[in-house]
């Protein structure tokens, strides 16, 4: 049986609720991921905010009622549609905002925070996206697996990533199972999304929110996902650990206190840029 990490329930009024996993609770098991929010957002929740030192990644599930109106201080603005993914590599600093594209409708999404290698944390910020129709999909007996990041079964996301990670959006039909090899050198963990999913024989769902971490590390690195009593959905995350320090201040995370202090000072001096009023 694999160690589990407790998912923290977050609720900011009626507009934002989430199950959240943070690396500072179980630091090594999810490196290079810093945290993941499995979120439902139905209104403007967070004002424009800075990021520095890591990547903020938004992935919308296909059942999301609407998209995300995404914009940043580089002048980018786009709508992330259901099934699509947008990656913001903050690097030396960026100001960012996301709100539901249609008021009154709920966005169902993952907000994923992925560390950048230390030698890229001072790079200029940049962004890239993949549209829903361009996400590779693998169909197996009793399962559908979308591949927005990384590769699986010979299909690869079109995105070239600054951090080596993989994200698999896995739907398993009732009374079915799927076996997922974990890439060599990757740390892996699973987040339950809908229904009851069995991970290597252990049940997980959102009535008792927890996530299996430290998935197999031996020669036979295969994770088995099963749906016994009904359809289930889960996301399997994996990535190559960076094994570097993480120093946080608010939505900034860097590999040294000096770099963090430089980023905080740069933001206060307006070096991250600004967002114009909507």
């Amino acid at each position: 049986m694999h160690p589990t990490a407790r998912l923290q329930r977050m609720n900011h009024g009626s507009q934002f609720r989430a199950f959240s996993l943070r690396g500072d609770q179980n630091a090594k098991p999810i490196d290079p991921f810093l945290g993941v929010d499995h979120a439902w957002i139905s209104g403007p929740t967070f004002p424009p905010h800075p990021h520095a030192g890591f990547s903020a990644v938004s992935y919308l599930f296909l059942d999301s009622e609407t998209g995300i109106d995404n914009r940043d201080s580089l002048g980018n603005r786009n709508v992330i549609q259901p099934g699509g993914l947008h990656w913001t590599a903050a690097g030396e600093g960026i100001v960012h905002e996301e709100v539901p594209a249609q008021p009154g409708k709920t966005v169902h999404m993952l907000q994923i925070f992925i560390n950048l290698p230390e030698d890229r944390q001072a790079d200029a910020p940049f962004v890239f996206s993949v549209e829903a129709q361009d996400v590779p999909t693998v169909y197996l007996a009793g399962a559908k697996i979308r591949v927005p990041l990384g590769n699986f079964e010979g299909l690869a996301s079109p995105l070239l990533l600054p951090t080596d990670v993989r994200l698999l959006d896995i739907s398993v039909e009732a009374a079915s199972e799927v076996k997922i090899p974990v890439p060599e050198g990757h740390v892996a963990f699973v987040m339950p999304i809908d229904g009851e999913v069995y991970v290597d024989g252990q049940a997980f769902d959102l009535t008792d929110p927890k996530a299996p971490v430290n998935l197999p590390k031996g020669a036979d690195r295969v994770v088995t996902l099963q749906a016994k009593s009904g359809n289930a959905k889960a996301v399997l995350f994996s990535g190559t650990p960076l094994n570097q320090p993480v120093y946080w201040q608010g939505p900034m995370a860097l590999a040294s206190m000096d770099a963090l202090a430089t980023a905080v000072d740069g933001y206060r001096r307006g070096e991250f840029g600004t967002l114009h009023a909507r």
Side-chain angles (χ1 to χ4, degrees):
M1 186 177 296
H2 306 299
T4 60
R6 181 64 54 180
L7 297 174
Q8 178 185 6
R9 286 185 176 90
M10 300 175 63
N11 194 334
H12 300 286
S14 61
Q15 295 185 336
F16 176 86
R17 62 189 178 94
F19 294 104
S20 298
L21 178 64
R22 291 289 181 265
D24 56 5
Q25 297 169 350
N26 264 282
K28 291 297 182 183
I30 69 170
D31 180 16
F33 298 89
L34 298 172
V36 181
D37 293 337
H38 171 204
W40 296 260
I41 303 175
S42 58
T45 303
F46 304 110
H49 54 279
H51 287 306
F54 65 97
S55 298
V57 179
S58 298
Y59 173 67
L60 273 61
F61 291 108
L62 287 168
D63 66 357
S64 184
E65 293 178 347
T66 187
I68 281 281
D69 185 354
N70 172 83
R71 63 191 188 123
D72 62 47
S73 56
L74 299 179
N76 299 301
R77 185 169 185 178
N78 65 300
V79 175
I80 312 167
Q81 299 289 356
L85 179 143
H86 185 83
W87 183 301
T88 300
E92 64 182 352
I94 196 169
V95 178
H96 187 218
E97 184 186 39
E98 294 179 316
V99 300
Q102 294 177 275
K105 293 192 175 182
T106 299
V107 175
H108 184 204
M109 68 181 297
L110 295 173
Q111 294 180 315
I112 310 160
F113 309 108
I114 302 173
N115 209 356
L116 283 168
E118 185 174 6
D119 62 3
R120 301 203 64 174
Q121 291 187 345
D123 287 357
F126 61 91
V127 305
F128 48 75
S129 298
V130 60
E131 301 294 335
Q133 65 270 20
D134 297 324
V135 173
T137 303
V138 177
Y139 295 91
L140 302 175
K144 181 178 83 169
I145 302 170
R146 304 187 82 235
V147 191
L149 298 176
N151 60 79
F152 179 69
E153 290 286 310
L155 295 182
S157 166
L159 301 177
L160 297 177
L161 307 178
T163 307
D164 178 27
V165 295
R166 185 175 74 171
L167 188 159
L168 302 180
D169 176 357
I170 303 169
S171 300
V172 186
E173 297 175 4
S176 298
E177 72 173 36
V178 61
K179 293 182 181 293
I180 310 291
V182 178
E184 184 177 357
H186 276 209
V187 162
F189 62 98
V190 172
M191 184 171 278
I193 302 299
D194 188 39
E196 184 180 56
V197 60
Y198 284 74
V199 181
D200 292 344
Q202 183 179 358
F204 294 88
D205 63 35
L206 296 183
T207 63
D208 180 21
K210 56 189 178 182
V213 297
N214 281 340
L215 292 175
K217 294 186 177 182
D220 184 20
R221 302 198 66 214
V222 175
V223 178
T224 301
L225 302 181
Q226 295 173 290
K228 294 185 178 181
S229 57
N231 295 343
K233 178 186 278 288
V235 173
L236 176 59
F237 300 86
S238 72
T240 301
L242 294 174
N243 297 316
Q244 64 192 33
V246 180
Y247 295 89
W248 285 94
Q249 182 163 326
M252 297 184 237
L254 290 106
S256 73
M257 285 296 295
D258 286 346
L260 179 60
T262 298
V264 171
D265 184 59
Y267 174 61
R268 290 172 177 166
R269 287 152 42 103
E271 295 174 3
F272 288 18
T274 58
L275 292 176
H276 299 295
R278 286 185 177 272

